[in-house]
Amino acid sequence: MKLCIIFPPLPFGWTPVAPPILEYLAALTRKADPSIEIQLISGSATPDAFDKLDCDLAAISILTPTSVPGYRIADSLRARGIKVVFGGMHASAMPEEAKEHGDAVVIGEAESAWPQVLKDFRAGTLQPFYRGEQVELSDLPTPLYGTLGGGHQFRIVNTSRGCPFNCTFCSVKPFFGGKIRFRPIEHVVRDVAAIPEKMYINGDENIWWPGTANMQRAIDLFTALRGTGKKWMGFGSLGPVLAPLGSKMLNAARDCGMLTVWVGWDAMTDDGLKAYAANGKIGVDRERAVRTLRDHGIDVSLFYMLGSRDDSLDDFKRSIELADRLGVSMHPSLVVPYPGTELARQYEPYIFKELGWEYYNGSYAVFEHPDPAMTPEAREEQFYESSLELLSLPRVLRHMFKVPLRGFPYAHVLSLMNQLPVRKGMKIAYRKWREEKGLVRDKQVLERG
């Protein structure tokens, strides 16, 4: 039996990060049935691989921005007699839609469902839907790191799942649940040691959760990781940074190789945070928290969204002022009401339904705004203007001089490796937007109609 595991092409080209589902699902497959022959395909790295694909079963993991190319790939494979099973966040949120393009859909997490999918396929009794349970994370296999080609330079390690926060825009809690499930620390260390590269990414929603017990767990994890000798970057909320254990935690993170933390800034204003119900994870003084991170020798990149129904045109300018004031790199997105989220429910009456999932990539305005000045075109133009300014080559290079010296030279190289692919992707997105904006505008006008 030949199995191909596929991650469809990203909207704006290749990135150096290996899609984690590929090598992890390969490990789950190897654990369930070692006799299966496995091929991994990252669509952005090898876009021509699908024409020559030869397998019995294809597993395609889709996010909302990759669902349309994922469906296209599936339709092509099924026309050649290859069975297709879908999984991932978008398939879990829209299982009936995914089933229209596949033979089976895994809803939720794969661990409890995937062995049965493989057994049923072998027996010729593949079911239309499988529901994965939210299992404890005490027996996860090490991903088959290094199996995927394509020049990917960063592997992802996960140490927990779930999120207790109620941010309206986020898919993590609907998909993984509100309970934080931690992996055994020794298993995390094992997986990090298995990564062939010298640097990796911690892919947790949050590498340090609030609360004394959770922060102590983070400290214990970082202490255990010191022996790996590897550098890394991860995602962290700002709330715990200023807590009593914050300084000890940040020192432990830096000492075990943490170079950069990606922080969800989410909105430019406090009112915007409240509208997203995201103020609970931010803490009491987010600018001071960012400065504290930098004082501990950790570089900071802020992720945030613009153009919500509570935002104004001034918020686009505020993002540039914030980058200059704090000395951080900024990674913006237009607001996307992803299916299955609370935001999608709130915005349902205002969404441009003529725009398909291919426009849900953070570069298009996909809903109406109550402010007449915040037209879809105005939001998109301001997004590209501010984004291209933040990612201009002079700014990218200037930021290197603001990266804490404690991380030299790895953090400085990493800063370039983080921003240059994003800059390239943004330029591709901008070019595509200029070519297609007339068509997109017609769809938006038709919707308002």
Side-chain angles (χ1 to χ4, degrees), residues 410-436:
Y410 295 101
H412 298 72
V413 173
L414 186 59
S415 176
L416 286 178
M417 294 178 72
N418 280 339
Q419 294 188 79
L420 291 181
V422 176
R423 179 175 182 268
K424 181 179 179 181
M426 187 63 68
K427 293 177 75 173
I428 293 172
Y430 179 57
R431 183 169 64 248
K432 184 177 180 181
W433 174 76
R434 291 186 64 182
E435 293 170 352
E436 295 183 353

Side-chain angles (χ1 to χ4, degrees), residues 177-209:
K179 175 188 174 183
I180 306 170
R181 290 167 287 151
F182 292 111
R183 294 185 63 199
I185 287 175
E186 61 270 22
H187 292 187
V188 177
V189 175
R190 175 199 69 194
D191 287 3
V192 170
I195 294 174
E197 293 84 12
K198 297 294 185 183
M199 289 193 286
Y200 67 95
I201 297 173
N202 182 295
D204 293 350
E205 169 68 12
N206 196 348
I207 190 56
W208 44 55
W209 295 100

Side-chain angles (χ1 to χ4, degrees), residues 143-309:
L144 300 184
Y145 293 125
T147 307
L148 177 67
H152 297 289
Q153 298 160 321
F154 294 99
R155 259 66 188 182
I156 289 179
V157 172
N158 290 103
T159 82
S160 68
R161 292 181 190 168
C163 179
F165 298 123
N166 295 306
C167 304
T168 61
F169 53 78
C170 189
S171 302
V172 172
K173 188 171 184 176
F175 187 82
F176 288 120
K179 175 188 174 183
I180 306 170
R181 290 167 287 151
F182 292 111
R183 294 185 63 199
I185 287 175
E186 61 270 22
H187 292 187
V188 177
V189 175
R190 175 199 69 194
D191 287 3
V192 170
I195 294 174
E197 293 84 12
K198 297 294 185 183
M199 289 193 286
Y200 67 95
I201 297 173
N202 182 295
D204 293 350
E205 169 68 12
N206 196 348
I207 190 56
W208 44 55
W209 295 100
T212 300
N214 290 335
M215 293 180 69
Q216 184 59 54
R217 191 263 180 186
I219 292 169
D220 293 342
L221 173 63
F222 300 151
T223 302
L225 286 171
R226 288 185 65 178
T228 66
K230 295 187 177 181
K231 308 295 183 183
W232 61 283
M233 50 189 162
F235 302 85
S237 62
L238 292 174
V241 170
L242 299 179
L245 277 178
S247 182
K248 182 178 179 181
M249 181 185 70
L250 297 183
N251 286 335
R254 184 199 62 229
D255 291 345
C256 79
M258 187 180 202
L259 300 174
T260 299
V261 60
W262 292 330
V263 171
W265 193 260
D266 299 339
M268 287 297 108
T269 66
D270 291 341
D271 287 342
L273 285 176
K274 291 178 183 177
Y276 290 139
N279 47 320
K281 70 176 183 178
I282 293 297
V284 295
D285 189 340
R286 50 180 175 165
E287 290 200 16
R288 183 160 69 93
V290 168
R291 294 189 180 97
T292 299
L293 283 162
R294 290 176 50 79
D295 289 344
H296 282 76
I298 300 172
D299 192 26
V300 180
S301 291
L302 300 183
F303 286 82
Y304 62 101
M305 296 165 294
L306 294 166
S308 79
R309 287 179 54 81

Side-chain angles (χ1 to χ4, degrees), residues 31-72:
K31 180 180 178 181
D33 188 343
S35 69
I36 295 176
E37 182 180 337
I38 303 170
Q39 180 181 0
L40 307 181
I41 296 180
S42 173
S44 295
T46 53
D48 299 328
F50 305 108
D51 296 335
K52 305 172 185 177
L53 187 61
D54 178 24
C55 64
D56 303 300
L57 177 66
I60 305 178
S61 179
I62 52 174
L63 303 171
T64 299
T66 65
S67 59
V68 171
Y71 293 155
R72 191 178 302 121

Side-chain angles (χ1 to χ4, degrees), residues 62 105-106 135 191 200 234 236 290 303 323 380 387 395 403 428:
I62 52 174
V105 179
V106 175
V135 300
D191 287 3
Y200 67 95
V290 168
F303 286 82
E380 291 165 1
S387 300
R395 278 184 174 272
V403 175
I428 293 172

